Amino acid sequence: MNNYLIPANSKKSQLILGFFNKIDLFGIFLPGIGLTVFLLFAFKSNNVIITVLDLLPALIAAFLVMPVPNYHNMFTLLSNVHTYFSRRRKYYWRGWCANGKDH
């Protein structure tokens, strides 16, 4: 009998730094940081509200890629929640013992 041992961190080894997918870093985080740097240089101001608004893309991007226990990050969690609430919730299941009849 073959007993295979699957390491507990086998899924994390496929992620960048054990937490991030490519879309997280290159599709969310880096564009958020880039937009923030552009806004900081484009709208130089001593006003606190304008500075906070300029930092908002980086803060939102950092929030979305923040690690959450049992999930990769908030983006994955929010995607799963959106999928759950936007798709049909009537699940059709045919077990291994189904004999070809539709129930």
Side-chain angles (χ1 to χ4, degrees):
M1 184 161 119
N2 293 330
N3 291 326
Y4 295 105
L5 179 62
I6 299 172
N9 62 353
S10 63
K11 186 74 170 175
K12 288 182 89 172
S13 67
Q14 298 174 357
L15 302 173
I16 299 170
L17 299 176
F19 293 110
F20 307 107
N21 292 324
K22 289 181 183 177
I23 190 71
D24 298 333
L25 292 181
F26 303 118
I28 297 173
F29 190 65
L30 287 180
I33 297 297
L35 183 60
T36 297
V37 169
F38 171 75
L39 290 174
L40 286 173
F41 285 119
F43 301 109
K44 294 180 182 178
S45 176
N46 291 334
N47 190 353
V48 174
I49 294 174
I50 299 297
T51 305
V52 169
L53 289 175
D54 289 346
L55 292 173
L56 204 55
L59 295 174
I60 292 171
F63 173 74
L64 287 175
V65 298
M66 174 180 64
V68 177
N70 302 324
Y71 282 93
H72 299 304
N73 50 41
M74 286 300 292
F75 180 69
T76 305
L77 175 66
L78 293 175
S79 297
N80 289 342
V81 169
H82 177 266
T83 301
Y84 176 76
F85 285 116
S86 64
R87 301 272 162 58
R88 68 179 170 97
R89 279 185 238 141
K90 186 173 183 183
Y91 300 105
Y92 297 103
W93 178 77
R94 292 179 61 183
W96 58 271
C97 60
N99 57 5
K101 297 180 195 174
D102 290 331
H103 295 81

